[in-house]
Structures are given as structure tokens and as C-alpha cells.
Amino acid sequence: MVTFNFFTGTVTNISEFMTGQNGENQGCYSIVTLEDGLGAVVNFVVSPTTYFVDQQIVTVGDRVTGYHDASAPVPLIYPPQYRALIMVKEIAAQNVKVDFFNSELVSSDGVLRLNLSPNTSIVLTNSQPFSSYPGNRNLIVIYGPSTFSIPAQTTPYEIIVWC
């Protein structure tokens, strides 16, 4: 189970990140720099396996949330540099929650409870249908309005199962 941590900010720079010898991975990796407006800066290493919700293209000036594995080792440099697992570009009237959801579909932080409907699309990261129950898994949940209760409840538009 991945323990997700995130950072939200505005993209201030996107640059190529060289890996390997002789440039064999040239153009495959990039560094996306996010700034939160309060002085905090984070660099995300974006690889070919980084999942972009809705396959959104991210450009300088976009408001983005980057998710990384909180238990993964990171270099002790400033600004911090994390391997991006999931990137979410902010879109009006759309909320995204990335977390582990238990058997009752409550997020690990106890903030959100999912109510499934026949209209809820449940897919894998490769857009193929997921036919099992999504509980006890890491999920990317795309939803709109939610209740003001604790936990907030919502009927998601789409659930992406992070296997």
C-alpha cells in the first residue's frame, strides 16, 4: 500500500530531466516546479509512468497537485524533489481525492466517504473497466459536490483504481 503525500501549487517551470547515460532517455523525464504562493517550492520528477488525471496537459501557470509516495526515499536537497506518481490539474467544479479507501469506502484520513451509484465509472489506470469492489484499495476519486458531514459523503463521477 502506498502512503500518498501531496503538494499543491502553481507550475513555475518545466524542464527536461536527464537520466541514464548517453541521453538514451532524453525527453522522457521532466522536472515540474510547483510554488504554493507562500514561499514553499517543490520539484516533481515526472516520468513516463506518472499518471495524469484525465490525461491533462500541464503548462506553466497551471494550478496542480502532485502526489508522491511518502515512504519513498528522497534526496536531501532544496527544493525537495519527489518522484511524481499522480498529477492532477485543477479544474473548476471537479474535486480529486487520492487515498486508500477501506472496505466501507472511507478514506484513510476519515475525511471522505464514497457512495457508489450505477453511473459511477470504475476503471483501472489504463482506462479498462474494473469489475471488483473498489474497497480496501488505493483510489483516485473524481467527484463534484459533497455533504458537510464528517466524513463528507459524495457520489463520485469516476473512480480510478491504483493497482
Side-chain angles (χ1 to χ4, degrees):
M1 177 175 92
V2 173
T3 303
F4 291 104
N5 203 353
F6 67 92
F7 183 85
T8 301
T10 302
V11 177
T12 58
N13 189 43
I14 299 173
S15 58
E16 191 170 324
F17 183 68
M18 299 299 284
T19 64
Q21 297 176 356
N22 304 321
E24 67 249 15
N25 290 325
Q26 186 172 358
C28 294
Y29 292 80
S30 61
I31 294 278
V32 175
T33 303
L34 301 182
E35 197 171 312
D36 72 353
L38 300 173
V41 177
V42 167
N43 285 331
F44 280 101
V45 176
V46 175
S47 74
T49 60
T50 301
Y51 182 78
F52 282 79
V53 172
D54 292 334
Q55 297 181 355
Q56 291 286 326
I57 303 298
V58 171
T59 59
V60 172
D62 289 340
R63 188 106 171 121
V64 173
T65 300
Y67 290 85
H68 63 93
D69 184 348
S71 61
V74 295
L76 294 174
I77 59 173
Y78 183 83
Q81 182 172 293
Y82 303 112
R83 182 177 154 254
L85 298 175
I86 300 164
M87 297 292 279
V88 180
K89 181 177 175 178
E90 282 191 11
I91 298 174
Q94 176 178 291
N95 301 302
V96 178
K97 174 91 172 159
V98 177
D99 204 349
F100 178 83
F101 285 80
N102 67 18
S103 62
E104 296 176 355
L105 295 177
V106 176
S107 61
S108 68
D109 60 6
V111 171
L112 188 64
R113 180 187 183 104
L114 307 179
N115 298 316
L116 301 181
S117 85
N119 295 330
T120 302
S121 170
I122 305 174
V123 297
L124 296 167
T125 54
N126 63 4
S127 300
Q128 297 305 302
F130 182 78
S131 57
S132 296
Y133 183 70
N136 290 320
R137 298 178 186 276
N138 287 314
L139 304 176
I140 303 167
V141 179
I142 301 169
Y143 64 100
S146 63
T147 65
F148 289 106
S149 62
I150 299 175
Q153 296 187 40
T154 189
T155 303
Y157 306 134
E158 182 176 23
I159 296 173
I160 301 151
V161 179
W162 182 270
C163 290

